[in-house]
Structures are given as structure tokens and as C-alpha cells.
């Protein structure tokens, strides 16, 4: 963990460094041969395994405070460095090794590699995405029926050239779905349209009075007015679908 990121955690007043230090590095291999870096956070008695995918320009560091809190609540997780990302919250090792920029859709094999890794853990698997990856989790869930217990999407949208790709994928996702976003109308409407396409009988859209883009809405420094309530909604949903 970088000194810069530790300083960031200190600014948050976060004292769970032992949990962060116990995170175990994992190397995945995508179907096209790309090595994908990740960190595994284990809960003592896990109720589920959550695969955590970041937003554009970031890496697994987006989850440096989120994953330990999930572990404390009883959820193991894997925070993944997708090949489409950057170093805003610390080095994205996958992107750095790749050495060139790629599009959002190019990161899909990285999500699939994480799901393959999770299959050997014998736990219910939750796909969790932030921004562009919150859209890709619908595609991965649609293409892997029976392997995903729930989908959680933070600021999903039609971010790709095909502007109906995510709605078409959502139409094949019948597991429980949670969507949220910033409080901006455009993001709220985009999330609503995608959620409406899903035939799931357990669908939740949380529209925060205060919220920021992506899963960073759970980080107090990024969303000081909304993070606490956002966490209540997230843990409430997880508690319902992982009983």
C-alpha cells in the first residue's frame, strides 16, 4: 500500500490498517492472457463473496476503505485492477503492465477472470461495479446464468458505442439487482432505464439526496453528506439477498 494512500486513509480518520494490511494479492489470468492484479479481503465467516470493479481512471484502491468495511459486515471481496483504469487511488497494476490505453469494453475479460476465480470459493457471488464497470457487470451476469447471486451497480449507464447494450443485457438478468448513482437527474434516469429492463422480482434503486459518481459515494471524503446513508442502503440490500 502506497504512502500516498495511507495518508489518504489517515485523512478519513480510518483506523482499520490491520484489515487493509491483511489483504492478499491475487493474480488472475484473463482469457486473452493478460495478467490481472487484485486484492482479496476475507471476512471471518463470509456470507458471500463480492467482486469489486472500479471506475474509469482508477484501480482497486477505490475499495481500500470499502472492502475492509464489507469484511467487517461479513462479506469477503476481491478488488480488481481492470486493464481500463488509472492511478488516481494508487497504481493500477494491470493497466501499468499493459502499457497502453484500452476501451471500457476491453476490460470485460478481467471481470470474467474474477468470476472464474470466485467459482472455486463456494460462496454466493455478488458482482459490484462502479461507473463503466457497473454497466459491464450486467453483461457478465447475463452471459453467466446461475453463477451470480446478485448485481450491484453504482452509476450504470450506456457508456459504450452500442447505446442499448446494457439494457439488452439487463433484460437477461433475473437475480436481485441494486442500482444507485449520484443525485444528478441524468445519472438517476440512466440507472432507472437499465433497472427497468431487468425481469428480476427483487430490484432496488436508491436515489440519494446526496451522492457522487460511482462506488466512491461510499467514501466519506468523496461524499461527506451522503456516505453514511448510502452504506445503510447497501448493507440493507446485501442483508436481504444473502440470508
Amino acid at each position: 500500500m502506497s504512502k500516498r494512500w495511507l495518508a489518504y486513509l489517515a485523512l478519513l480518520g480510518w483506523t482499520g490498517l490491520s484489515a487493509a494490511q491483511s489483504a492478499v494479492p491475487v493474480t488472475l489470468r484473463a482469457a486473452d492472457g493478460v495478467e490481472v492484479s487484485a486484492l482479496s479481503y476475507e471476512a471471518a465467516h463470509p456470507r458471500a463473496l463480492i467482486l469489486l470493479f472500479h471506475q474509469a481512471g482508477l484501480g482497486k484502491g477505490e475499495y481500500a476503505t470499502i472492502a475492509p468495511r464489507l469484511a467487517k459486515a461479513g462479506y469477503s471481496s476481491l478488488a480488481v485492477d481492470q486493464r481500463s483504469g488509472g492511478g488516481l487511488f494508487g497504481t493500477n497494476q494491470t493497466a501499468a503492465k499493459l502499457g497502453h490505453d484500452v476501451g471500457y469494453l476491453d476490460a470485460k475479460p478481467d471481470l470474467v477472470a474474477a468470476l472464474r476465480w470466485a467459482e472455486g470459493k463456494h460462496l454466493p457471488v455478488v458482482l459490484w461495479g462502479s461507473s463503466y464497470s457497473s454497466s459491464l457487470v450486467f453483461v457478465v451476469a447475463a452471459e453467466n446464468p446461475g453463477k451470480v447471486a446478485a448485481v450491484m451497480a453504482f452509476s450504470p449507464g450506456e457508456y459504450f458505442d452500442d447505446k442499448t447494450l446494457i439494457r439488452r443485457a439487463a433484460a437477461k438478468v433475473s437475480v436481485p439487482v441494486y442500482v444507485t448513482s449520484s443525485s444528478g437527474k441524468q445519472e438517476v434516469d440512466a440507472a432507472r432505464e437499465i433497472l427497468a429492463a431487468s425481469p428480476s422480482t427483487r430490484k432496488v434503486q436508491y436515489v440519494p439526496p446526496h451522492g457522487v459518481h460511482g462506488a466512491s459515494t461510499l467514501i466519506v471524503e468523496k461524499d461527506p453528506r451522503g456516505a453514511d446513508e448510502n452504506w445503510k442502503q447497501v448493507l440493507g440490500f446485501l442483508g436481504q439477498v444473502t440470508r
Side-chain angles (χ1 to χ4, degrees), residues 72-238:
K72 186 176 180 180
Y75 302 98
S76 293
S77 65
L78 184 75
V80 179
D81 273 345
Q82 296 108 243
R83 69 187 73 183
S84 182
L88 184 58
F89 279 2
T91 301
N92 179 319
Q93 293 170 295
T94 305
K97 288 178 184 177
L98 197 64
H100 61 271
D101 293 336
V102 297
Y104 297 155
L105 197 55
D106 295 319
K108 179 185 153 189
D110 307 338
L111 277 65
V112 175
L115 181 58
R116 297 288 176 265
W117 175 87
E119 288 174 5
K121 304 304 178 183
H122 308 295
L123 288 167
V125 176
V126 178
L127 299 185
W128 169 316
S130 177
S131 189
Y132 86 85
S133 69
S134 74
S135 297
L136 283 182
V137 293
F138 285 98
V139 178
V140 174
E143 294 179 355
N144 291 274
K147 297 179 180 179
V148 175
V151 167
M152 302 185 72
F154 293 76
S155 301
E158 298 284 359
Y159 297 117
F160 312 101
D161 291 339
D162 181 346
K163 297 305 179 184
T164 64
L165 174 65
I166 306 309
R167 277 172 287 173
R168 294 201 314 272
K172 300 176 183 179
V173 176
S174 58
V175 298
V177 179
Y178 176 92
V179 300
T180 189
S181 62
S182 74
S183 49
K185 184 179 185 303
Q186 184 175 357
E187 283 202 15
V188 171
D189 289 348
R192 180 177 292 117
E193 289 179 5
I194 292 168
L195 186 63
S198 168
S200 172
T201 58
R202 183 173 288 181
K203 301 190 290 187
V204 175
Q205 179 174 12
Y206 175 58
V207 180
H210 306 290
V212 301
H213 186 72
S216 292
T217 199
L218 296 173
I219 300 173
V220 175
E221 185 187 60
K222 297 293 183 181
D223 188 7
R225 294 189 295 172
D228 286 346
E229 184 58 34
N230 294 337
W231 267 110
K232 289 179 184 178
Q233 299 294 326
V234 163
L235 294 178
F237 174 81
L238 283 170

